[in-house]
Amino acid sequence: MRIFSGIQPTGPMHIGNYLGAVSQWLELQKQHECFFCVVDLHAITVPQNPKELELATRNKVIELLATGISPEKCALFVQSQVPEHTELAWILNTMTPLGELERMTQFKDKAKKQKTEVFAGLFNYPVLMASDILLYKTQAVPVGQDQAQHLELTRTLAKKFNSRFGETFVEPKTILKKEGARIMSLKEPRKKMSKSDKPDSYLGIFEEPESMKKKIMAATTDTGKEIKFDEKKKPGISNLLTIYSLFSKEPMQKAEKKFQKKDYAFLKKSLAALLTQKLEPLRKKKRELDSRELYVKEILRQGQNRASSIAKATMQDVREKIGLLQS
Ligand code: TRP
């Protein structure tokens, strides 16, 4: 299958992103033709500092490589380096009913959070996402539940285009993240872990062990003393157990058993030790990549080339079909 997925450059990668999206990408790249894209043009739908955006984009590429995304197995590239994404987005915008965009729950949430004005780019965000996907005739897209509605719009737009101009785009399937990969905030364990919350509520994948340990020891726990998995009554402990079980690759029951007669502090210390050990190779790889600027550039150039050749062919076809004068 041909797979496409995107990740925003802003914010450091945290264990929620890693156990959710990235671990799935790592699995998919083994068997499928994958296009993984750092979506800088999506990031600017809310105001960004130019210098920071550039650094964050490069950093996200390095983070992905350090976690094991392999340039031999997939095309890893930056969205703005393949200008066909924006060209197709414009064209699809001319066929997207306003009503469809007004329904998008993510737009409504983000617009509410915006302290200043809300710009047209934020409203049209799902159309750019549809273009990312359709440009490559993608068959399946791994995403979180929060993006499922955008995938539905993508299929609607593909159908619309195809019925008006003839068979052009493939309607992509949604691959939803596996259950059990929902990592919650350390401070408010009933809320999803998010990089837009305070730093003590999430654990960065490349964070120093000391800082990680501090955050884990200060994580919100629940009343009582017992360590068992019960999301309703024990959201804090259940979250720590989930992280433990996913990183140790032990089933939940086995993890529960291990901590059966122990106290909360023991669980927290064990989790900190486990994360330090499991993430050390990733931290090392990242340090190495941080110093190899040319190598990283070369990987992106190859990714751009592979993406471009498909994107150009699709756009040529689209331009002809909609009646743009050929040069
Ligand atoms: N909107 C997605 C997110 O915030 C990122 C994204 C952009 C994406 N384009 C995509 C994901 C195409 C999948 C496919 O998570």
Side-chain angles (χ1 to χ4, degrees):
M1 271 199 301
R2 183 174 287 169
I3 308 273
F4 183 101
S5 198
I7 190 167
Q8 300 241 10
T10 44
M13 187 185 291
H14 62 64
I15 60 165
N17 307 134
Y18 178 73
L19 294 169
V22 179
S23 68
Q24 200 173 21
W25 291 15
L26 292 172
E27 279 306 307
L28 289 167
Q29 73 172 357
K30 290 185 193 157
Q31 293 187 23
H32 299 283
E33 184 191 11
C34 292
F35 290 81
F36 295 134
C37 184
V38 178
V39 292
D40 52 350
L41 297 172
H42 277 104
I44 60 169
T45 57
V46 297
Q48 301 290 344
N49 171 304
K51 200 73 224 144
E52 282 168 22
L53 177 64
E54 199 185 331
L55 283 175
T57 304
R58 194 182 117 85
N59 193 51
K60 188 59 66 193
V61 170
I62 290 178
E63 287 184 344
L64 289 169
L65 292 169
T67 55
I69 293 297
S70 157
E72 272 114 58
K73 297 197 185 111
C74 61
L76 176 62
F77 69 105
V78 174
Q79 187 183 33
S80 63
Q81 295 181 355
V82 181
E84 284 78 8
H85 289 245
T86 36
E87 187 184 0
L88 183 57
W90 176 256
I91 292 168
L92 293 180
N93 263 317
T94 66
M95 311 169 190
T96 309
L98 289 185
E100 293 277 351
L101 294 178
E102 281 160 355
R103 287 194 307 118
M104 295 291 142
T105 54
Q106 187 165 70
F107 169 71
K108 289 191 253 183
D109 289 349
K110 284 194 180 178
K112 239 189 275 163
K113 279 194 203 144
Q114 225 25 51
K115 291 189 188 75
T116 55
E117 288 162 288
V118 173
F119 297 102
L122 190 63
F123 189 60
N124 292 316
Y125 177 115
V127 183
L128 179 59
M129 179 161 160
S131 307
D132 296 341
I133 298 165
L134 297 179
L135 199 49
Y136 299 95
K137 320 251 165 128
T138 303
Q139 288 157 296
V141 183
V143 282
Q145 183 58 45
D146 62 331
Q147 301 295 316
Q149 202 183 20
H150 296 160
L151 258 293
E152 267 167 50
L153 174 69
T154 304
R155 287 188 285 269
T156 303
L157 293 178
K159 258 188 254 161
K160 254 184 204 290
F161 190 101
N162 290 348
S163 70
R164 201 165 141 196
F165 301 104
E167 211 49 37
T168 310
F169 294 122
V170 173
E171 286 178 47
K173 277 199 314 192
T174 306
I175 307 179
L176 276 189
K177 268 180 254 171
K178 297 166 242 126
E179 281 305 313
R182 230 172 113 82
I183 305 300
M184 313 308 273
S185 156
L186 296 179
K187 284 292 167 192
E188 293 167 81
R190 291 187 196 278
K191 267 179 55 186
K192 205 173 129 183
M193 184 176 280
S194 161
K195 65 189 179 202
S196 21
D197 289 336
K198 291 202 196 81
D200 60 354
S201 68
Y202 63 80
L203 296 169
I205 283 289
F206 302 98
E207 210 169 308
E208 288 305 318
E210 268 316 303
S211 147
M212 231 185 230
K213 188 167 177 199
K214 249 194 212 144
K215 289 185 189 178
I216 294 173
M217 297 313 290
T220 304
T221 46
D222 316 299
T223 47
K225 285 187 172 165
E226 209 187 345
I227 297 184
K228 69 169 202 255
F229 185 82
D230 181 341
E231 282 171 308
K232 285 223 170 66
K233 290 194 191 126
K234 300 210 147 213
I237 289 299
S238 301
N239 190 36
L240 298 180
L241 276 172
T242 301
I243 301 170
Y244 190 93
S245 147
L246 290 170
F247 271 99
S248 63
K249 299 208 165 77
E250 280 174 12
M252 180 55 77
Q253 274 179 337
K254 203 169 159 205
E256 264 184 316
K257 216 166 180 184
K258 184 178 259 166
F259 296 111
Q260 216 171 29
K261 299 216 163 64
K262 306 287 196 231
D263 60 11
Y264 287 176
F266 184 83
L267 169 63
K268 287 177 162 182
K269 275 184 210 143
S270 310
L271 180 61
L274 176 73
L275 288 179
T276 301
Q277 179 222 333
K278 292 278 177 192
L279 295 175
E280 175 52 29
L282 278 63
R283 272 197 301 278
K284 189 166 161 238
K285 184 90 191 284
K286 179 166 187 306
R287 280 196 298 271
E288 184 194 314
L289 290 164
D290 277 333
S291 65
R292 297 182 65 191
E293 197 164 336
L294 287 178
Y295 172 72
V296 174
K297 265 205 173 132
E298 179 53 28
I299 288 172
L300 285 180
R301 208 184 50 82
Q302 281 172 18
Q304 178 195 29
N305 282 346
R306 281 186 54 194
S308 271
S309 67
I310 299 172
K312 284 200 173 109
T314 306
M315 281 320 296
Q316 183 55 30
D317 184 29
V318 167
R319 282 187 216 114
E320 277 170 31
K321 282 196 168 120
I322 67 173
L324 301 181
L325 183 64
Q326 304 300 299
S327 59

